[in-house]
Amino acid sequence: MELEKQLVIAIDGPAGAGKSTVAKLVAKRLGYIYIDTGAMYRALTLKALQKEISLQSEVNLAQLARDTRINFIKKGLEDRVIIDGLDKTEEIRANRVSNNVSTVAKVAEVRGELVRIQRELAQSGGVVMDGRDIGTVVLPEADLKIFLTATVEERTKRRYQDLQQKEEAVSFEQLKEEIIRRDEIDRNRDIAPLKKATDAIEIDTTKLNIDAVVDKILTICQEL
Ligand code: DC
């Protein structure tokens, strides 16, 4: 689909609302770049865990953010996440990373460093960026802001299916608790909390399939 202008599209929402799946497909249909900002916070978390850097040490985490190179590359049809030259696409999705990432994402200097990179990546437009603070903080001038939601039951169901495919053992109830806890930290942190921008369009994806959400967003793009 071709639009007159190279738009900047921000997609925010809680864990499991469908952001990355939807953002990827919207980007593909428009021929845009997709930037997964959650993957950047996950990358730093994975590296901190592997290097046994204390997640309580803000100074060390800030240094880690400055010392880490995160790149997104396309390998065939797939987006790969490269950390310091190594492909860590699968590792950053491990549940251990999910359960620690909100602690890393609370650190002001970590956010400062990543937000700077995110703004650079969006500079020339033609981009779909997803995260928690894209419409509110990273790209407040975005042409279109979408806020995706779904019930916690539905979001847990989606993550549960993802993890089962990866054969990571976790019970549904435990996963639900972890998602609730993570959302709570993301919503209540001092800096750039998860929040719907006042000018964002909210889409509840609980009962919608992926294609319906993508079509809805593309229709809005055509009307801009
Ligand atoms: O979208 P995700 O589950 O991969 O995001 C992982 C975590 O990173 C999430 O719990 C909160 C944090 N995050 C953030 O604070 N700001 C963003 N723009 C993206 C993610």
Side-chain angles (χ1 to χ4, degrees), residues 19 31 66 78 81 84 102-103 114 142 152 176 180 199 202:
K19 297 182 300 292
R66 286 190 290 271
E78 275 181 65
V81 182
D84 299 326
S102 287
T103 309
L114 294 189
V152 72
K176 186 170 158 186
I180 292 172
D199 52 350
E202 183 165 338

Side-chain angles (χ1 to χ4, degrees), residues 15 19 36-39 41-42 93 101-102 105 111 118 130-134 159 182 186 189:
K19 297 182 300 292
D36 175 357
T37 64
Y41 291 95
R42 285 174 179 274
R93 303 283 155 206
V101 63
S102 287
R111 301 201 71 84
Q118 290 156 10
D130 80 358
R132 303 294 188 287
D133 59 339
I134 311 306
R159 277 285 146 101
R182 184 142 70 96
D186 292 342
R189 69 180 173 224

Side-chain angles (χ1 to χ4, degrees), residues 43-196:
L44 292 184
T45 307
L46 174 68
K47 192 168 164 186
L49 291 170
Q50 287 181 336
K51 289 178 79 92
E52 296 184 10
I53 291 171
S54 163
L55 300 189
Q56 307 314 318
S57 167
E58 299 204 353
V59 175
N60 291 355
L61 289 174
Q63 189 60 43
L64 184 77
R66 286 190 290 271
D67 291 344
T68 306
R69 278 176 300 119
I70 305 166
N71 297 99
F72 295 103
I73 63 158
K74 275 236 174 289
K75 222 180 197 175
L77 289 177
E78 275 181 65
D79 291 300
R80 310 295 298 177
V81 182
I82 313 295
I83 309 175
D84 299 326
L86 296 174
D87 190 330
K88 302 279 185 180
T89 312
E90 278 77 30
E91 276 175 82
I92 62 164
R93 303 283 155 206
N95 214 31
R96 187 160 97 100
V97 175
S98 302
N99 288 337
N100 287 290
V101 63
S102 287
T103 309
V104 175
K106 275 196 306 194
V107 180
E109 283 184 71
V110 167
R111 301 201 71 84
E113 190 59 27
L114 294 189
V115 168
R116 186 183 61 75
I117 299 167
Q118 290 156 10
R119 287 185 181 144
E120 270 174 26
L121 291 170
Q123 226 170 28
S124 38
V127 57
V128 184
M129 187 177 285
D130 80 358
R132 303 294 188 287
D133 59 339
I134 311 306
T136 50
V137 174
V138 182
L139 306 171
E141 306 296 327
D143 299 293
L144 174 62
K145 299 178 187 178
I146 301 289
F147 195 80
L148 292 185
T149 61
T151 60
V152 72
E153 282 290 324
E154 177 63 25
R155 295 188 289 115
T156 307
K157 214 166 85 189
R158 294 174 189 169
R159 277 285 146 101
Y160 187 69
Q161 282 164 355
D162 280 353
L163 287 176
Q164 280 202 320
Q165 277 171 11
K166 287 190 262 171
E167 294 175 12
E168 271 205 67
V170 57
S171 77
F172 187 89
E173 279 312 312
Q174 186 193 336
L175 193 61
K176 186 170 158 186
E177 287 312 311
E178 288 169 1
I179 287 179
I180 292 172
R181 198 185 123 257
R182 184 142 70 96
D183 285 347
E184 212 167 86
I185 301 176
D186 292 342
R187 279 204 177 92
N188 294 310
R189 69 180 173 224
D190 292 334
I191 312 149
L194 164 65
K195 182 171 82 183
K196 176 179 170 288

Side-chain angles (χ1 to χ4, degrees), residues 3 105 143 217:
L3 299 171
D143 299 293
I217 295 174

